[in-house]
Amino acid sequence: MSATDRITVGEPLPRLASVVAGGSYEVALTWAEGSRVGRSDLVDLAPIILTYKVFRPLREDAALFRAVRLGEGGRSIVWPDDADLDIGADSLEELAEETMTNADFAAFLQRHGLTYDAAAAHLGISRRMVAYYAKSHAVPRVLALACRYIDLQADASRAA
């Protein structure tokens, strides 16, 4: 091994290519590096912004929230005039993975061979809501996390 050899271990750290403020606590992110490279996600920051006191200025000032921009090297998102207002790309990546689109939910149903009725019974929601989430309504974070758990359980049972 020479002094110029590069060693790579694991997945590259997440890095953002762009950020645009959306609706209520949402940001549209495009990924430049990491496990989501090339993807664009609409991420709800409410779990972070509504939990930590440091983000109170963002809760009280919608214009400030809309002023979001990329941090140095795309490793975070930041807001002007306050060094404490930043969220790292790794936290954003975690939130993005907890987000489920309608297509993701429909793929979940297909992957597990679930009818709308079976999914409703399995997830504890109505058949009508299963149909809405598979086609048009925003999938709630709690439901996305439940689906992720079911996926992990299915993976674990296949591995055993």
Side-chain angles (χ1 to χ4, degrees), residues 61-147:
D61 187 352
L64 177 61
F65 179 80
R66 287 190 302 275
V68 66
R69 64 180 191 267
L70 288 179
E72 187 176 331
R75 301 290 180 196
S76 64
I77 58 173
V78 298
W79 286 268
D81 302 328
D82 193 337
D84 291 332
L85 293 179
D86 74 323
I87 302 173
D90 53 341
S91 295
L92 295 167
E93 183 179 49
E94 193 173 305
L95 283 175
E97 289 176 2
E98 295 172 356
T99 302
M100 184 175 259
T101 65
N102 303 114
D104 294 336
F105 185 69
F108 166 81
L109 298 176
Q110 185 175 17
R111 188 168 51 251
H112 292 281
L114 296 172
T115 64
Y116 286 0
D117 290 322
H122 213 55
L123 296 167
I125 58 176
S126 71
R127 181 191 187 286
R128 178 179 294 174
M129 293 311 297
V130 171
Y132 286 154
Y133 296 143
K135 294 185 177 147
S136 61
H137 285 53
V139 179
R141 183 172 181 259
V142 67
L143 184 62
L145 291 172
C147 293

Side-chain angles (χ1 to χ4, degrees), residues 10-98:
E11 291 284 324
L13 292 173
R15 189 170 63 83
L16 296 163
S18 69
V19 61
V20 177
S24 169
Y25 305 127
E26 290 180 335
V27 290
L29 303 172
T30 304
W31 300 92
E33 289 179 19
S35 63
R36 302 182 77 78
V37 66
R39 290 186 62 171
S40 293
D41 294 303
L42 185 61
V43 177
D44 183 7
L45 301 180
I48 293 176
I49 292 174
L50 298 177
T51 300
Y52 301 103
K53 288 181 183 180
V54 70
F55 294 110
R56 181 171 293 166
L58 298 177
R59 295 191 293 256
E60 296 171 352
D61 187 352
L64 177 61
F65 179 80
R66 287 190 302 275
V68 66
R69 64 180 191 267
L70 288 179
E72 187 176 331
R75 301 290 180 196
S76 64
I77 58 173
V78 298
W79 286 268
D81 302 328
D82 193 337
D84 291 332
L85 293 179
D86 74 323
I87 302 173
D90 53 341
S91 295
L92 295 167
E93 183 179 49
E94 193 173 305
L95 283 175
E97 289 176 2
E98 295 172 356

